[in-house]
Amino acid sequence: MAIYRRQFRPSAQLDAPYVLAAVNVIAADTTADAQKQFEAAKRARVRALFGRGRFLDDAEVDAVLGSLGRPARRRNGPDPGVTTRPDRSAVRGAGARPGDRLRLGHVQLRRLGRRGQR
């Protein structure tokens, strides 16, 4: 983001740099539940992206997942080396079940409450 902001040149569409950071988040009470949600979300995403109009069976999903690299994982907030922030952020629950996404809402509300107490 720092490079983008530093090298930004105004245009007819945008007079100043603007960054929207969007992240998919899994929130769970246990590591085991988070891993289960993560696996279900990965499988759903593979079916949506690689199915191309047809249902992929478990073996086909496994083959696609086996060909991909490992995702980056981060816990407890941003990289301490990051010195710039987005202008706006969007958080989406990546859990497959509605209750999993609701759990993320509870975590976000708790965090907002803590910020208000500072």
Side-chain angles (χ1 to χ4, degrees):
M1 277 187 277
I3 293 170
Y4 163 70
R5 288 185 189 281
R6 191 171 50 249
Q7 295 181 355
F8 179 83
R9 301 291 179 257
S11 69
Q13 290 81 26
L14 195 60
D15 63 347
Y18 185 84
V19 176
L20 169 66
V23 295
N24 289 317
V25 177
I26 291 175
D29 291 321
T30 66
T31 301
D33 188 34
Q35 187 62 37
K36 182 178 175 183
Q37 288 183 48
F38 179 60
E39 291 300 321
K42 279 194 313 187
R43 298 182 81 75
R45 182 150 303 151
V46 165
R47 284 190 168 103
L49 293 175
F50 297 96
R52 301 186 187 247
R54 69 178 192 85
F55 180 78
L56 296 179
D57 64 29
D58 287 340
E60 291 169 313
V61 171
D62 290 339
V64 171
L65 288 172
S67 69
L68 302 174
R70 289 188 55 138
R73 293 185 188 186
R74 177 159 317 281
R75 293 179 185 211
N76 301 325
D79 184 329
V82 173
T83 58
T84 185
R85 302 248 184 254
D87 298 295
R88 186 170 179 202
S89 60
V91 177
R92 177 188 178 275
R97 302 170 301 192
D100 298 336
R101 293 186 297 273
L102 184 60
R103 176 76 182 117
L104 173 61
H106 293 159
V107 170
Q108 288 176 309
L109 287 172
R110 253 197 337 255
R111 289 192 62 160
L112 287 171
R114 279 192 222 134
R115 281 191 202 150
Q117 294 172 2
R118 290 181 185 173

